[in-house]
Amino acid sequence: MNRVAITFAVACALALPWSVHARGNVDNGKSKSQACAACHGPEGNKPVGPDFPIIAGQHADYLSKALRDYKSGARANPIMKGFAASLSKQDIEDLAAYFAGQASPLQTHR
Ligand code: HEC
């Protein structure tokens, strides 16, 4: 291996964990969450009614999968499809990171 190939290999090895574990940005998620508050509550923990799920404190992976599935149609819900449709991949990660970190009635052991 020449020096360029080694440098490239090392750079890839270092970059890989970041790309695989791309995580959302909580602060960006917070500002993007304004639209969600109307139904899920300001921090996702006080939904407006029994048909609206608590999303605060849910696992980030679960939240991002739910949003991707609404967007793709794999999970069918006319209300959430509309909201998920306009979200980018990064929006989804940011929102998932934000809501996962909020205090929640789902976590009684905290
Ligand atoms: C107009 C009301 C409304 C708004 C606004 C809204 N949602 Fe929802 N959301 C719902 C309803 C109703 C469901 C339950 C749908 C179902 O049964 O799949 C839901 C479900 C979800 C779920 C799945 C929860 C679970 O336990 O599986 C996630 C995640 C979610 N919403 C995130 C968001 C995010 C993020 C936003 C803002 C971008 C948002 N929602 C805005 C009404 C809303």
Side-chain angles (χ1 to χ4, degrees):
M1 255 203 266
N2 64 29
R3 191 185 300 232
V4 173
I6 291 169
T7 306
F8 183 70
V10 171
C12 289
L14 291 173
L16 195 60
W18 293 109
S19 55
V20 169
H21 298 288
R23 281 287 163 246
N25 179 293
V26 174
D27 291 336
N28 292 345
K30 184 174 183 171
S31 48
K32 291 169 187 171
S33 75
Q34 307 296 323
C36 322
C39 296
H40 294 285
E43 276 115 31
N45 56 18
K46 281 206 186 67
V48 291
D51 295 339
F52 300 86
I54 294 165
I55 53 176
Q58 185 56 273
H59 290 281
D61 288 348
Y62 176 91
L63 294 171
S64 58
K65 177 165 181 12
L67 291 169
R68 286 196 307 273
D69 286 351
Y70 286 130
K71 193 176 157 119
S72 73
R75 183 167 170 180
N77 181 266
I79 301 174
M80 279 310 300
K81 187 172 179 66
F83 284 95
S86 62
L87 299 175
S88 71
K89 232 173 146 183
Q90 189 61 50
D91 292 338
I92 287 175
E93 292 303 323
D94 293 350
L95 286 161
Y98 170 70
F99 282 116
Q102 300 310 302
S104 168
L106 295 176
Q107 295 164 328
T108 50
H109 57 279
R110 269 199 182 168

